[in-house]
Amino acid sequence: MTTLLDFPIKPEARPYLDAFAETPSEPQWLRAARRQGLDSFARQGFPGRRSENWRYLDLRALEAHPLLPAVMDQPMGIPSGLALAGDGPRLVLVDGRFAPGLSRLAAAPGVWFGTMRQAIAERPELVQAMTVAADQPFAALNAAFFAEGFVLDLAPGAVFERPIEIVHLASGAADASLHTRNVVSLGRGSRATNLETFAGPRADDANYWRNDVAAWRLDDGAALTRIALVEEGAGAVHLGEVAATLGAGAKLDAFVLLLGGGTVRHAASVTLAGAGASCRIDGAFVVAGQEEANIVTAIDHAAVGGTTTELVKGVAAGRGH
């Protein structure tokens, strides 16, 4: 949908503005948020290497050859030979869409676990409250185009004993971008463990861009453990953005392992908003050939007595960096 905005538009943003179309069936608050995200991206465009947070990542190929959002009404391309082990709770997204036949949405007292589309209908106040700063250009683009994702909402004191598995699969069937948005909200004293996998075909000609944004809120005394594995296709771009807020005495343990993808960036912004909150952010990467991997963290100790521990290790071969 071509738009006429009253401010200069970055030229690389134009194809995404032209591809944007409102969905009349969506609630007004969501349509307004999408428009705000699109306007923010139009102002910012792609970050360049003069930006400190992006100076080590080369996005010129993506800027020159736009990957527009995937068409959601096409048949789902389930990867052949796919086998998912385990019998615990699991939510699977294929090319950014919910795959009910591969998922197992277990119920538990005080726990709401489902897709973003379900949450927009059943938990709209939660989705509205969990926002990500629009000054991040790809988070803003995600706000305009996200179609699906997952939401985990735990009531105060609720404990999900079994790890919750989230699987993000890319079929590589079409050159496109996959925009997913996820929310984790843990009530006071609640506890959960998330295992997330991002995977795609290993073929060099698999050309897609995954733009994943997550908002986490841990109320006082809550605890979240999150382990993520990124093993995208050899030609893929993977940009992951996490924004977390921790209440008093809350505890966040997060680990990300970057094993595959042409260009991969994992960013975490954590605000220790309550006294005595603690955060551990660890990571590891393996790159070869001409692969690029970035792990970026920003921790804001906004209250007294907070602690942060970070450890990142990596192996690079060839021209990987």
Side-chain angles (χ1 to χ4, degrees):
M1 181 179 74
T2 303
T3 58
L4 182 62
L5 302 178
D6 60 356
F7 54 82
I9 299 171
K10 294 290 186 178
E12 65 271 21
R14 173 55 67 183
Y16 298 92
L17 268 69
D18 292 344
F20 179 78
E22 288 191 336
T23 303
S25 60
E26 289 186 333
Q28 178 58 38
W29 64 265
L30 180 55
R31 284 183 284 158
R34 291 194 188 282
R35 175 57 63 184
Q36 290 173 0
L38 191 69
D39 289 356
S40 178
F41 179 71
R43 292 176 186 273
Q44 299 177 74
F46 278 49
R49 291 199 167 188
R50 291 184 179 181
S51 171
E52 180 64 26
N53 281 343
W54 296 89
R55 62 182 301 184
Y56 298 110
L57 211 60
D58 187 357
L59 297 175
R60 288 175 296 180
L62 182 60
E63 183 175 341
H65 303 285
L67 291 174
L68 300 179
V71 178
M72 291 291 110
D73 58 0
Q74 292 183 347
M76 188 175 298
I78 304 295
S80 60
L82 177 65
L84 298 174
D87 59 355
R90 179 173 63 222
L91 188 148
V92 180
L93 300 167
V94 178
D95 290 339
R97 288 184 291 167
F98 176 54
L102 301 175
S103 303
R104 186 183 300 106
L105 302 182
V111 176
W112 194 97
F113 175 48
T115 70
M116 176 57 73
R117 284 184 181 274
Q118 287 178 287
I120 290 171
E122 300 177 21
R123 294 283 197 279
E125 69 289 341
L126 175 62
V127 178
Q128 285 181 270
M130 302 288 279
T131 59
V132 178
D135 60 352
Q136 300 297 327
F138 297 124
L141 186 65
N142 177 283
F145 283 110
F146 78 87
E148 194 52 283
F150 78 91
V151 173
L152 175 64
D153 183 20
L154 268 64
V159 176
F160 212 128
E161 296 290 355
R162 305 189 69 178
I164 300 168
E165 185 180 10
I166 315 296
V167 182
H168 306 259
L169 298 175
S171 67
D175 294 353
S177 53
L178 314 173
H179 301 270
T180 45
R181 178 157 293 215
N182 314 305
V183 164
V184 175
S185 177
L186 302 188
R188 185 184 184 96
S190 63
R191 187 172 74 249
T193 297
N194 282 4
L195 308 177
E196 283 195 68
T197 302
F198 300 86
R202 299 304 297 166
D204 291 339
D205 60 352
N207 187 31
Y208 64 93
W209 167 23
R210 191 190 303 281
N211 183 26
D212 186 73
V213 173
W216 303 342
R217 182 180 65 210
L218 282 63
D219 287 347
D220 296 355
L224 174 66
T225 298
R226 191 254 195 164
I227 300 171
L229 168 66
V230 177
E231 197 168 10
E232 301 281 16
V237 175
H238 173 107
L239 302 179
E241 185 87 28
V242 172
T245 302
L246 278 59
K251 182 178 181 181
L252 171 64
D253 285 312
F255 173 79
V256 61
L257 176 60
L258 309 182
L259 289 182
T263 299
V264 178
R265 182 180 191 269
H266 180 274
S269 300
V270 182
T271 300
L272 278 63
S278 65
C279 142
R280 183 180 182 98
I281 304 287
D282 294 340
F285 62 86
V286 178
V287 292
Q290 297 187 11
E291 294 174 336
E292 301 177 287
N294 273 205
I295 296 177
V296 182
T297 62
I299 315 297
D300 180 6
H301 285 251
V304 298
T307 60
T308 296
T309 303
E310 297 187 62
L311 177 64
V312 177
K313 294 189 175 185
V315 177
R319 299 182 64 185
H321 70 274

